[in-house]
Amino acid sequence: MRRLVIALLALVAVACGGAAQTAQSPSATSKVTMATDTDLTNVMIGQERFVIDHDIAQNVYSGLVRLRPGSNKVSPDLATSWTVSGDGLKYTFKLRKNVKFSGGFGPFTAADVVASFDYERDPKSATAYNAQFSLVKSVTAADPYTVVIELNQPYSSFLSGVLAWQSGLITSAKAIREKGADYLATHPVGTGPYHLSSYEKGQQITLTASKEYYAGEPAIKQVVYRYIPEAATAVLALQKGEVDVEQIQQAAAYRTVKALPSDKVKLYEGPGWRNYYAWLQCGNGRVTNDPRVRQALERAVDLKQVAQGPGAGMITVNHSYFNPTVLGWTNDLPTYGHDPAKAKSLLAEAGYKDPGQLHIKLIYYKSSLYEPLALAVTDAWRSIGITVDVTQIDQAAFGDEMAKGDWDAAIWGHAVGDPDLYAYNDTHSSGIGTTNYSRWNNSQADTLIEKGRTEQDTTARIATYKKLQALVAKDVPTIVLGNAKSIIAARPGIKGLYAPGYFGLIEWQYVKG
Amino acid sequence: MTFYILQRLLLGLLTILLIVSFAFVLLRVAPGDPASVWLGPLATPETLRALHHAMGLDQPIWVQYGLFIRQLLSGDLGISLNARRPVLGIILDQYPFTLQLTVGSLVAAIVLGLPLGALAAWYRNSWIDLSAGLAVLGWLALPSFWLGMILLLVFAVNLSWFPLLGAGDRGNVGSIILHLVLPSIALGARQAAVIARMTRSSVLEVLNEDYIRTARAKGAGERRVLTRHVLRNALGPVINVSALDTISLLGGAVVTEAVFSRPGIGSLLAQSVSQRDYTMVQGCLLFFAASVVVISLAADLIQGGLDPRVRNARRGVVQ
């Protein structure tokens, strides 16, 4: 019995000792711990699998150009200046000198740009960005510090949509040659502000500030991404001080952190890249082919209530199918406001005197807010008498279901950082059967989209995109349920922290500490 | 004896092969192709083809299976489709954490369940028996996920007696044990209930045996009767049931590892299933199947160790 008591006391003592060690230093931050709900899988350029892979890639690599947080204007990164030919087909980049790769892989030169983009363009590499590089005709090194990229057709989003995002990240030619993509998957070689200094699978990933970073060693010297798969545990970890920063994605977590005192938690919120949609099927002979039916479906939904209720305050009302951070976004659009009576009369016009005769098949998969949104939309439609058949589909199988188009309504999000990626992929007729899930076919829209992706003048582009957004709002190939707020919860005192557009992707070089 | 073990191992290997083959087919038949899940809808047909080839998925299924078996026989579990690293390496790196959790939970289950069951039987129909019964009911009913979160909230956050996250520092035994306490209780509670009930009924049965009366008649003290005569004979069925139930601990590891942010095969399996990382899923299932075989063999041997009748039956000795 005595031995048992001594053992218990020893256990408590060890526990107390352990607890003391995890106490955080309150002075100027040089180390930050962030919770992540995905574990590092592959950080080779073009091979990033999950959100954390993108987050890390953005911190260890650089591109020719970049988009600084909160801006949709392209700024220099590894390219110090560039010119575009009059016909929009030839881009000439002057490269930054005295930039070094990590891991002793030597100085950065044009050959590395060529090798990286050749890797992306080669179908055998099977990268996610291969399709985006299909409009690139050639990538050549004119001299060690000049790269010339020629396109097959003019593309105004080449800088902002392809080169400034993860598709444009650059790694060392020598590393690709000597180590291969499989090795680089967990040992990235980059010129970014951080190095991946350690990776303990299932536990944590550590980034260490690069002393050779061309813009100067960042203020935050060490970033630890702690793998916490359960959102509830992540919130507890924040409360306990075991993590400093985390992205809030679930309603329960949001409610909890909002209720915490401001000396414990600081919330950063802003527009995110992801919009939530109820895509409506405009092809495949479905009932939603009729625009009156689509307008009725939108009128039946109270979007303000959806943002607060099922959206749990994590959604902002957004009428545009673009997200608010992209060039040309506007909220000044014609909409079909909440009007159940008008919805019913539209249905009657369309031949459904009894709304119950209208059968809507709705599909969704369970992730983020898709389920509460699916249920809210279903409720709204059922409340005016429409017959709705809701089906939850497994996440991995959802893409195929979307592409097949055997549905009337589908709840899904889309998160990209460039207007053309919404315009061309979601609503151009060439995307029918692949990314244009609603199979919307509108020649006016096609013309605007093609104009928007070839116009060089920014003001003209913005005007074109405004017209396009208005067209989409009018014809309702999709009901925009709102924009997902980017929400970051952190302990107070981390200067320069912000809510990033892409999920939890904080570029730590901009955080002052 | 050796022949018996060899026989069991051979049977075990066959079981493992069947399980993994079943998983192999099921994965490829289920909707959701890992290449298109990964590349998304923008993938050009060329890229999809290239990735299918890199993943080994462009061959007919029997060719894939043949290659899979050949690799398996040479100890190669293939490459993780997503991480592009050998599956075996990843599993060897992660399985110690699941092993720790399984052993920890078994220990917790025994420490909590055995004394409770024995006491309940010894003081049958008293208030001790009644409260033990209620505790057992509680442990059986509580979902391990919920129990885990409650333990974390009370002991890791409010009281700060135990850490909240992870498996502790590698090589630091104290840290590892500290990180195991709460998850072991959460995962082991249900098995503790099973052990308690089994122990109680087994002890009760043994208490009625003639040899107990004989032992008392010989003048043995109650303590000696309990340990040397009662428990030794009662443990047989308890071990049998616990061993088989330990197998369910492996399944429970998936949820427990998630709640406690612990690395391990359970966590690995959960991630790889949702992303259709075929080779990784196969590898994890192989590990689980192998563990089940080892655990049931161990249980059999322990029972043999305790009961000479079983041992002799195996040897083919006639009583």
Side-chain angles (χ1 to χ4, degrees):
Chain A
M1 186 57 189
R2 204 166 6 124
R3 269 178 277 174
L4 185 65
V5 173
I6 293 171
L8 275 172
L9 284 173
L11 199 65
V12 174
V14 173
C16 294
Q21 272 158 20
T22 57
Q24 298 288 325
S25 136
S27 53
T29 316
S30 68
K31 174 178 167 189
V32 171
T33 304
M34 180 162 183
T36 167
D37 63 352
T38 48
D39 195 12
L40 185 153
T41 304
N42 195 320
V43 290
M44 173 61 183
I45 57 164
Q47 300 289 351
E48 304 94 346
R49 291 315 203 246
F50 306 119
V51 171
I52 188 66
D53 297 333
H54 290 290
D55 295 355
I56 290 170
Q58 198 69 11
N59 280 288
V60 306
Y61 298 108
S62 320
L64 288 176
V65 293
R66 61 173 32 235
L67 290 169
R68 290 179 150 253
S71 163
N72 55 33
K73 288 231 297 269
V74 163
S75 24
D77 196 356
L78 287 177
T80 49
S81 67
W82 56 90
T83 52
V84 187
S85 64
D87 56 8
L89 293 174
K90 189 162 150 191
Y91 288 72
T92 309
F93 297 91
K94 288 290 177 205
L95 303 181
R96 195 176 298 271
K97 300 198 170 84
N98 298 319
V99 176
K100 284 209 224 37
F101 278 105
S102 60
F105 279 89
F108 159 71
T109 65
D112 301 303
V113 180
V114 175
S116 300
F117 290 169
D118 278 351
Y119 176 76
E120 294 277 9
R121 293 166 63 206
D122 183 1
K124 281 209 283 304
S125 314
T127 72
Y129 307 116
N130 182 271
Q132 269 143 293
F133 277 89
S134 62
L135 42 68
V136 171
K137 192 161 88 181
S138 67
V139 182
T140 36
D143 64 54
Y145 293 100
T146 310
V147 172
V148 177
I149 301 182
E150 286 190 51
L151 305 181
N152 293 318
Q153 60 197 74
Y155 185 46
S156 329
S157 282
F158 184 57
L159 288 174
S160 58
V162 180
L163 294 186
W165 177 231
Q166 304 240 309
S167 27
L169 294 177
I170 291 165
T171 188
S172 150
K174 186 161 176 242
I176 297 178
R177 220 172 32 235
E178 289 177 11
K179 296 292 188 181
D182 289 353
Y183 175 80
L184 296 173
T186 41
H187 304 84
V189 173
T191 53
Y194 288 89
H195 302 149
L196 176 65
S197 52
S198 96
Y199 166 44
E200 293 164 64
K201 182 162 183 58
Q203 303 197 73
Q204 62 189 41
I205 304 142
T206 308
L207 298 183
T208 308
S210 164
K211 291 191 170 44
E212 300 118 5
Y213 185 48
Y214 73 79
E217 189 182 352
I220 307 276
K221 304 296 176 210
Q222 204 179 60
V223 180
V224 174
Y225 287 97
R226 195 76 185 65
Y227 176 53
I228 307 178
E230 267 310 310
T233 313
V235 175
L236 290 178
L238 186 67
Q239 279 176 263
K240 206 185 164 195
E242 291 207 23
V243 305
D244 303 308
V245 184
E246 70 191 40
Q247 188 200 357
I248 302 295
Q249 300 185 75
Q250 294 187 9
Y254 190 44
R255 270 197 300 273
T256 310
V257 296
K258 270 200 292 189
L260 292 173
S262 58
D263 61 334
K264 280 274 158 67
V265 162
K266 183 150 183 221
L267 276 179
Y268 301 81
E269 295 185 12
W273 279 17
R274 177 198 264 151
N275 273 347
Y276 288 110
Y277 308 95
W279 292 100
L280 300 175
Q281 184 54 245
C282 301
N284 276 1
R286 308 289 305 189
V287 291
T288 38
N289 288 6
D290 188 333
R292 289 169 298 190
V293 171
R294 299 200 296 272
Q295 289 170 30
L297 291 174
E298 181 169 328
R299 283 212 184 270
V301 180
D302 182 356
L303 292 171
K304 282 202 202 76
Q305 189 268 327
V306 164
Q308 284 312 308
M314 298 172 79
I315 296 180
T316 342
V317 174
N318 178 23
H319 296 300
S320 165
Y321 77 116
F322 290 2
N323 80 59
T325 69
V326 305
L327 182 79
W329 171 85
T330 175
N331 217 11
D332 179 20
L333 298 167
T335 50
Y336 301 101
H338 183 226
D339 192 340
K342 187 83 171 102
K344 283 200 208 138
S345 71
L346 277 165
L347 288 179
E349 255 184 68
Y352 301 98
K353 282 239 298 280
D354 168 21
Q357 290 170 326
L358 177 65
H359 287 252
I360 296 286
K361 177 177 169 192
L362 173 81
I363 61 172
Y364 74 97
Y365 71 90
K366 203 166 168 182
S367 171
S368 61
L369 294 172
Y370 298 145
E371 187 166 60
L373 289 174
L375 298 175
V377 159
T378 303
D379 273 347
W381 293 342
R382 283 185 180 151
S383 72
I384 65 165
I386 299 174
T387 310
V388 185
D389 162 36
V390 192
T391 313
Q392 183 193 48
I393 295 180
D394 179 44
Q395 182 164 0
F398 195 75
D400 288 340
E401 282 300 314
M402 278 296 269
K404 266 195 274 178
D406 292 334
W407 43 267
D408 303 300
I411 304 290
W412 209 5
H414 196 183
V416 286
D418 186 84
D420 184 64
L421 295 174
Y422 284 107
Y424 193 71
N425 292 340
D426 298 351
T427 45
H428 194 271
S429 58
S430 66
I432 293 177
T434 54
T435 53
N436 180 345
Y437 299 116
S438 65
R439 295 168 187 245
W440 191 58
N441 198 336
N442 186 308
S443 53
Q444 235 189 321
D446 280 356
T447 313
L448 286 169
I449 294 167
E450 284 149 29
K451 204 155 162 265
R453 72 202 312 247
T454 49
E455 265 167 341
Q456 301 272 27
D457 176 49
T458 312
T459 323
R461 276 190 95 195
I462 292 175
T464 304
Y465 283 133
K466 279 200 160 77
K467 287 202 199 98
L468 175 65
Q469 292 166 77
L471 208 67
V472 169
K474 206 164 134 240
D475 209 37
V476 202
T478 180
I479 303 173
V480 184
L481 299 171
N483 175 252
K485 280 193 217 167
S486 165
I487 305 169
I488 297 286
R491 66 161 175 79
I494 304 179
K495 287 198 287 289
L497 196 55
Y498 61 97
Y502 182 84
F503 317 102
L505 199 162
I506 294 175
E507 296 186 69
W508 297 100
Q509 62 172 312
Y510 300 118
V511 181
K512 291 172 194 54
Chain B
M1 189 53 167
T2 336
F3 178 70
Y4 174 74
I5 296 178
L6 277 173
Q7 206 178 25
R8 286 294 303 271
L9 281 175
L10 214 65
L11 216 68
L13 283 170
L14 190 66
T15 312
I16 294 171
L17 188 65
L18 280 169
I19 291 174
V20 183
S21 302
F22 179 65
F24 184 92
V25 173
L26 206 65
L27 281 169
R28 282 152 184 78
V29 159
D33 153 40
S36 51
V37 165
W38 151 224
L39 287 175
L42 284 171
T44 61
E46 250 191 295
T47 318
L48 266 172
R49 237 177 295 135
L51 191 55
H52 278 140
H53 183 73
M55 288 178 167
L57 297 174
D58 55 348
Q59 311 275 22
I61 197 168
W62 58 87
V63 174
Q64 288 184 45
Y65 185 69
L67 178 66
F68 168 66
I69 295 297
R70 239 175 300 142
Q71 279 180 329
L72 201 61
L73 291 175
S74 61
D76 175 10
L77 294 181
I79 307 261
S80 158
L81 298 186
N82 282 331
R84 313 297 309 165
R85 291 199 317 278
V87 167
L88 186 61
I90 299 175
I91 289 185
L92 287 178
D93 181 60
Q94 297 284 292
Y95 98 84
F97 300 106
T98 306
L99 189 65
Q100 287 167 12
L101 183 59
T102 311
V103 170
S105 306
L106 190 57
V107 167
I110 293 172
V111 163
L112 289 171
L114 202 73
L116 199 72
L119 283 172
W122 198 253
Y123 296 107
R124 181 171 40 146
N125 293 332
S126 72
W127 66 270
I128 294 177
D129 191 8
L130 199 68
S131 356
L134 284 171
V136 160
L137 210 63
W139 293 344
L140 274 174
L142 291 174
S144 64
F145 181 100
W146 184 85
L147 182 60
M149 293 302 308
I150 295 293
L151 287 171
L152 278 178
L153 195 60
V154 174
F155 296 103
V157 178
N158 290 345
L159 292 172
S160 282
W161 285 0
F162 294 99
L164 179 66
L165 305 168
D169 306 320
R170 266 193 212 248
N172 181 343
V173 178
S175 171
I176 292 175
I177 292 179
L178 209 61
H179 283 81
L180 270 177
V181 173
L182 296 181
S184 298
I185 296 174
L187 187 55
R190 203 197 52 82
Q191 198 185 18
V194 171
I195 290 179
R197 281 168 67 156
M198 199 63 220
T199 307
R200 184 182 179 278
S201 64
S202 191
V203 166
L204 281 176
E205 222 181 277
V206 163
L207 281 174
N208 281 328
E209 293 287 340
D210 288 340
Y211 53 82
I212 298 297
R213 222 175 302 139
T214 313
R216 284 193 177 119
K218 273 162 67 181
E222 282 304 276
R223 200 164 171 190
R224 193 181 159 86
V225 171
L226 179 66
T227 51
R228 211 191 139 99
H229 298 282
V230 176
L231 282 181
R232 192 150 177 215
N233 288 291
L235 279 179
V238 177
I239 288 171
N240 220 11
V241 170
S242 319
L244 293 174
D245 207 49
T246 305
I247 289 157
S248 74
L249 285 180
L250 288 171
V254 176
V255 169
T256 312
E257 283 171 4
V259 172
F260 290 89
S261 313
R262 288 183 60 92
I265 306 293
S267 165
L268 205 56
L269 181 63
Q271 287 174 64
S272 44
V273 165
S274 71
Q275 292 305 322
R276 302 292 194 270
D277 190 339
Y278 290 168
T279 42
M280 188 58 89
V281 173
Q282 284 155 203
C284 291
L285 289 178
L286 190 137
F287 165 81
F288 278 121
S291 307
V292 167
V293 167
V294 167
I295 290 172
S296 36
L297 179 61
D300 255 6
L301 291 176
I302 293 173
Q303 199 185 14
L306 286 172
D307 189 342
R309 292 170 299 180
V310 176
R311 222 183 301 144
N312 293 335
R314 285 188 203 132
R315 284 210 198 103
V317 171
V318 175
Q319 277 286 39

